[in-house]
Amino acid sequence: METAIVPTSPNALAAAAPPGLAGRFAALPARTRLGFVLGLAGLAALLVVLALGTREGDYKVLYANLSDQDGGLIIDKLAQMNVPYRHAEGGSAILVPADRVYDLRMKLGSAGLPKSSVVGYELLDKTPFGQTQGQERVSFQRAREGELVRSISALDWVKAARVHLALPNQNGFFREQQKPSAAVVLTLHPGRTLDRTQIAGIVHLVSSSVPELHPKAVSVIDGSGTLLSGEDDRLAAQGLDAKQLQYLQQVEAAHLKRVMELLEPVVGRDNLRATVTADIDFAQSESTSEEYKPNQGAGPAAVRALRTEESTQPGGALATGIPGAATNQPPTPPAAPINGAVAPLQAAQGGAGAANGRREAETRYEIDRTVRVTRNATGSVRRLNAAVVVNHRSSVDAKGKPVSTPLSAEELDKLTALVQQGIGFNAERGDSVRVVNAPFHSEAPPKVEETPLWQQPWLQELLRAAAAPAALALLGLVLVFTTVRPTLRALLAPPAPPAPTRGGQLDTVVADDAMLPGGAPPALEAPRNDERLQAARALAKNNPVAVANIMRNWVSGEPA
């Protein structure tokens, strides 16, 4: 009887296979080889899918149809923010990681990018064939609006702008022609305001760019819908001015800042509320007065002008007396008696002629004159009102509970004195300061329930993004451990050592005339470690003839 033990271990297969990896692979079962090839193909497909998903799936379009100027500005901004980007559609589109698209759009929008998304006169460069007159008019209007938007957006204080032009169709009747109008919507940078001159500049820019557009037909509004172009008329009707309002706010803010800086170190920032109201006199008054006074004092009066006029007219002797012969006689010399007797009167005779004279004198004295011109300063403070509310003093009692204690009258007087000194209190002009001590009502902040970690948006987004790669990686591991790894172990296993002549591994038992029950020799697996001893004992017990033949061959030195 013959008994054969067939080797089934990897070492035995490696020893029985032809030398070389190709020979070992050819000696493997067909099912094992097919599984190995399918496993390698599946791993290659998984790697390709992961590579493509990582390369294209995580990038989305940030902006499309960009000009070269805007594209360069956006790329520079992305480089400063250390954001990876890619180009598409011939460079007119920029792709960024998908999870940062909306965040980057808001950040770039706050920086004013893209700027030249508005189309100007370049819209007229490409005129389609068969364009109608209406389409041409609309294209020209769009181009003009775009150029105005670019000009207004170039101003430092303007963040964005939109211009709407209403250009009516002109006909041949002059009386029926309508005038154009325009509307400008401005979005200013945070903290920026426009004064009257800047608004007037924008209005005149738009009106000068459109023929027959009157400046009064241009409306300018801000982002909140406030009309800016008609502000001058509205404030003039109210007796106000934008600069005056700004000055009033500055005065109130300056006094309020002084009050807060004085009281915050004493009572604390959260324990103080204050407000200051100023009454400013913006009236402009000018007075002119003239005063006339006589010269004062004991000194001589001041002479302003002195005029003297004297006139003399000489003339010949004139005939006097009664006309006749006696009158024509020459006059006789008078003869007066020595003793002083008065001679009798004689008749009038002609005598020598006498001279005519005229004399005038005029003196003008200076009169005092005083001219006074008084101009009052604008923006003077007529009255200041300050109101301050101070919280109660907070402390902790012996039991550790918070206690609120009102301030004393002496402390309130000290705080009032500080406020008066801070704002420049003047009782003559009617200033008032009021300091009140009252407890502040503090509302407890609402309890915000913490979101569990597994419900956090960032974690859910991370799980959604990593779900597909993780599933592919798991599938790859299954393929490796089920098909590739067993085949590689069989191919790379070292060859089994040769069977020793004495006391080695029992590989085959032959040479026995007696046949085992069943007719065919049973195939036994070579024992490993302790299993070998147990298998040898079982063989000696069940097949003592085979064991005896083996022992006989060992003793005689014959090969098995």
Side-chain angles (χ1 to χ4, degrees), residues 161-303:
R162 293 197 65 183
V163 178
H164 302 277
L165 297 178
L167 305 178
N169 296 330
Q170 303 297 337
N171 51 28
F173 300 97
F174 180 78
R175 295 181 179 179
E176 297 180 0
Q177 292 182 358
Q178 298 179 359
K179 298 297 182 180
S181 60
V184 182
V185 181
L186 300 178
T187 301
L188 305 179
H189 289 286
R192 299 290 185 91
T193 56
L194 297 177
D195 55 14
R196 291 181 298 176
T197 57
Q198 293 170 338
I199 298 173
I202 295 176
V203 170
H204 284 279
L205 172 65
V206 177
S207 62
S208 301
S209 302
V210 180
E212 299 183 2
L213 178 59
H214 197 272
K216 292 185 178 180
V218 180
S219 301
V220 181
I221 62 175
D222 58 4
S224 60
T226 304
L227 183 62
L228 302 179
S229 58
E231 185 178 4
D232 295 341
D233 300 336
R234 187 177 63 257
L235 294 178
Q238 298 177 359
L240 301 177
D241 189 2
K243 291 185 177 180
Q244 294 176 357
L245 294 177
Q246 185 178 5
Y247 177 74
L248 175 62
Q249 295 174 358
Q250 291 177 356
V251 171
E252 294 177 349
H255 287 84
L256 180 61
K257 183 179 179 182
R258 296 174 187 174
V259 173
M260 300 297 290
E261 290 179 352
L262 285 174
L263 299 185
E264 279 182 357
V266 180
V267 299
R269 176 177 299 180
D270 297 334
N271 297 325
L272 175 66
R273 297 292 184 273
T275 181
V276 176
T277 304
D279 185 7
I280 307 297
D281 184 11
F282 293 105
Q284 297 181 358
S285 60
E286 181 178 349
S287 61
T288 303
S289 62
E290 294 184 1
E291 297 179 359
Y292 297 92
K293 295 182 180 180
N295 294 315
Q296 304 294 332
V303 178

Side-chain angles (χ1 to χ4, degrees), residues 69-131:
Q69 181 180 4
D70 280 346
L73 295 175
I74 292 176
I75 288 176
D76 292 341
K77 193 66 175 180
L78 293 178
Q80 295 177 3
M81 299 168 62
N82 296 326
V83 177
Y85 61 88
R86 292 175 183 172
H87 298 282
E89 300 178 4
S92 61
I94 298 178
L95 284 72
V96 295
D99 56 344
R100 302 190 62 181
V101 170
Y102 302 103
D103 184 23
L104 292 175
R105 285 181 181 175
M106 288 187 290
K107 290 182 179 179
L108 293 176
S110 63
L113 296 175
K115 289 185 176 180
S116 60
S117 58
V118 180
V119 182
Y121 284 126
E122 62 271 12
L123 183 64
L124 305 178
D125 296 339
K126 299 180 181 180
T127 303
F129 180 76
Q131 185 178 14

Side-chain angles (χ1 to χ4, degrees), residues 440-524:
F440 285 6
H441 178 68
S442 59
E443 297 181 357
K447 295 182 179 180
V448 179
E449 297 181 0
E450 295 184 359
T451 306
L453 181 62
W454 58 275
Q455 292 183 354
Q456 294 291 339
W458 63 269
L459 182 58
Q460 294 181 357
E461 185 69 22
L462 180 61
L463 292 177
R464 283 193 296 268
L472 294 176
L474 181 60
L475 181 58
L477 292 177
V478 171
L479 291 176
V480 167
F481 283 101
T482 56
T483 60
V484 179
R485 185 171 179 270
T487 305
L488 292 178
R489 289 185 60 185
L491 293 175
L492 302 178
T501 306
R502 298 286 186 269
Q505 180 181 356
L506 180 62
D507 291 336
T508 307
V509 179
V510 294
D512 195 350
D513 296 337
M515 297 298 294
L516 294 176
L524 300 178

Side-chain angles (χ1 to χ4, degrees), residues 135-167:
Q135 293 175 349
E136 182 180 359
R137 184 173 60 254
V138 172
S139 299
F140 183 73
Q141 180 176 347
R142 288 181 55 195
R144 182 176 290 174
E145 291 176 351
E147 292 296 331
L148 288 174
V149 168
R150 289 178 178 177
S151 301
I152 298 174
S153 300
L155 302 177
D156 295 335
W157 58 88
V158 177
K159 182 179 180 181
R162 293 197 65 183
V163 178
H164 302 277
L165 297 178
L167 305 178

